[in-house]
Amino acid sequence: MINKIAPSILAADYANFATELQRIDATGAEYVHIDIMDGQFVPNISFGADVVASMRKHSKLVFDCHLMVVNPERYVEAFAQAGADIMTIHVEATQHIHGALQKIKAAGMKAGVVINPGTPVAALAPVLSLADQILIMTVNPGFGGQAFIPEALDKVKTVAAWRQEGNYRYDIEVDGGLDNHTIKACLEAGANIFVTGSYLFKASDLTAQVQTLRDALDD
Ligand code: DX5
Ligand code: ZN
């Protein structure tokens, strides 16, 4: 699988999305990770599909939308129209994860499925053939800047093994607490898409900071 870096816009300056998207673009990162939070599935509130539609005018990068939202199937059309490329939804947030993933694909987006640190990896087993991307949370969702949860690595290993055994094609993404050390452990466990929020944006030179992550992956 090809390694991809996904800067999280959650850690950017919300009053300057256009500039922040240009800064992300200049790093050579492949994705922009966009965290949608509804104040119910997670305590925090971020922004919705209309903001994503506005961002779309300022970036050609892949929009990797991570919905931390109750019943995310309600927003499939809105995100498709906003220009989302990948829509990733939590198994914990809907009673109909299978149908919701089908709906995402039918709307022309890539379908991602995600589990919280407290959710057994077995919850993903029924939807492996539908998933274009599996996201293993490496922090509890809701906020940037939290410490990496190493126990999540076993789940990454499990979904990587399932992919090999079952000839599935999904990417494996990790999100939360990634830096130039933890990213390597995620790679070794089998992940290939790496979300970076606070580690990236704490630097003034985003391009150099992305390079430290790529160097860690190549080490
Ligand atoms: C957390 C979000 C993450 C967050 C990661 O709920 O899903 O995408 O932006 O931020 P860091 O890299 O700071 O842990
Ligand atoms: Zn996220």
Side-chain angles (χ1 to χ4, degrees):
M1 308 295 284
I2 299 167
N3 291 332
K4 293 177 176 158
I5 304 289
S8 174
I9 200 90
L10 191 71
D13 177 0
Y14 295 5
N16 290 297
F17 277 138
T19 316
E20 295 292 63
L21 286 163
Q22 283 163 12
R23 291 173 76 210
I24 290 170
D25 196 23
T27 67
E30 290 83 0
Y31 287 5
V32 183
H33 185 81
I34 304 178
D35 287 306
I36 310 298
M37 305 180 179
D38 68 351
Q40 203 175 349
F41 183 70
V42 290
N44 204 3
I45 298 175
S46 60
F47 33 77
D50 290 348
V51 175
V52 175
S54 293
M55 289 182 195
R56 186 73 280 178
K57 297 176 196 147
H58 298 280
S59 175
K60 292 191 165 56
L61 290 176
V62 172
F63 276 13
D64 175 34
C65 295
H66 172 198
L67 276 80
M68 288 155 275
V69 169
V70 171
N71 294 332
E73 57 272 25
R74 293 177 292 163
Y75 300 107
V76 171
E77 272 314 312
F79 276 85
Q81 284 185 6
D85 298 288
I86 307 167
M87 180 168 170
T88 297
I89 59 173
H90 277 262
V91 297
E92 305 89 353
T94 173
Q95 305 212 338
H96 301 287
I97 189 67
H98 191 280
L101 292 168
Q102 286 179 318
K103 207 170 161 183
I104 292 169
K105 291 170 86 87
M109 295 178 286
K110 286 193 173 174
V113 58
V114 45
I115 53 170
N116 285 332
T119 301
V121 69
L124 297 167
V127 293
L128 296 179
S129 60
L130 273 176
D132 296 300
Q133 169 170 299
I134 290 182
L135 169 54
I136 303 292
M137 288 307 297
T138 44
V139 297
N140 283 296
F143 301 94
Q146 302 180 81
F148 183 78
I149 297 172
E151 289 79 5
L153 290 172
D154 278 344
K155 295 184 193 174
V156 175
K157 288 181 192 157
T158 301
V159 295
W162 285 346
R163 183 176 59 200
Q164 198 169 2
E165 289 158 17
N167 275 321
Y168 298 112
R169 305 167 67 93
Y170 48 78
D171 289 295
I172 303 175
E173 182 174 47
V174 281
D175 182 10
L178 294 200
D179 61 20
N180 54 331
H181 302 293
T182 55
I183 197 170
K184 182 74 176 178
C186 292
L187 174 78
E188 285 169 354
N192 70 298
I193 300 176
F194 307 94
V195 177
T196 174
S198 52
Y199 175 79
L200 177 60
F201 281 89
K202 76 180 181 191
S204 49
D205 183 345
L206 299 191
T207 304
Q209 195 76 335
V210 164
Q211 195 53 48
T212 68
L213 294 173
R214 294 207 199 271
D215 290 346
L217 291 173
D218 289 343
D219 237 11

